Amino acid sequence: MSDAFIALEGPLGAGKTTFTRHLLRALGVDGRIKSPTYALLEPYEVDGRTVSHLDFYRFDDPREWIDAGLRDVFAAPGLKIAEWPDRAAAVLPPADLLIRIEPQIDETRRIEVNACTPRGVELL
Ligand SMILES: Nc1ncnc2c1ncn2[C@@H]1O[C@H](COP(=O)(O)OP(=O)(O)O)[C@@H](O)[C@H]1O
Ligand SMILES: [Mg+2]
């Protein structure tokens, strides 16, 4: 899991941030896990490894990609987890795993996980 890019798709309120919080906890992140909706990026260190939680909901100018240091994040090893990847599709590399969360009328969620690269197949 340490070097990979996981993209999370689904409408507002689907549970992308909630899923990421649980994943980060399971990986050993303690302390507060904020939603990166305003900051674009929340970085964490776990056992000397970098985990980056990204949210492109408010991303609308590709210049932010460089200004927010995102080019460096994706050039370096580490786990990247991104919400709303489609809003930064022009600058993002392909995801290793693409996870789609669809809320159902009965409040449960339907989850679809696709491996899009050899690394993704390995993780799946
Ligand atoms: N699997 C789930 N089942 C039921 N409720 C959920 C689930 N995942 C998230 N929620 C609830 O949905 C709301 C929005 O979740 P959030 O993770 O912020 O969504 P997103 O990041 O996709 O916009 C929160 O109140 C959260 O508790
Ligand atoms: Mg969110």
Side-chain angles (χ1 to χ4, degrees):
M1 193 58 88
S2 57
D3 295 319
F5 172 28
I6 300 176
L8 292 172
E9 291 187 350
L12 265 184
K16 302 177 294 298
T17 302
T18 303
F19 174 88
T20 305
R21 284 201 175 105
H22 284 273
L23 179 57
L24 293 175
R25 284 272 180 261
L27 290 172
V29 173
D30 41 41
R32 189 152 174 255
I33 299 176
K34 287 190 283 180
S35 170
T37 304
Y38 293 93
L40 274 182
L41 166 69
E42 290 291 341
Y44 301 90
E45 284 293 318
V46 197
D47 300 329
R49 293 172 194 279
T50 306
V51 180
S52 305
H53 180 194
L54 305 121
D55 186 334
F56 294 105
Y57 187 66
R58 287 167 198 285
F59 184 90
D60 49 22
D61 183 348
R63 269 176 301 185
E64 290 175 89
W65 177 254
I66 291 165
D67 294 349
L70 299 178
R71 190 172 58 180
D72 301 331
V73 167
F74 279 87
L79 175 65
K80 297 100 188 169
I81 309 161
E83 302 181 39
W84 298 102
D86 44 313
R87 306 215 172 176
V91 281
L92 278 176
D96 297 304
L97 286 180
L98 176 58
I99 301 179
R100 285 206 184 88
I101 308 175
E102 288 172 36
Q104 308 293 295
I105 348 174
D106 64 358
E107 284 295 309
T108 63
R109 266 62 173 173
R110 183 175 178 277
I111 314 283
E112 186 185 311
V113 185
N114 282 292
C116 310
T117 65
R119 177 76 183 116
V121 172
E122 199 180 5
L123 288 170
L124 199 61

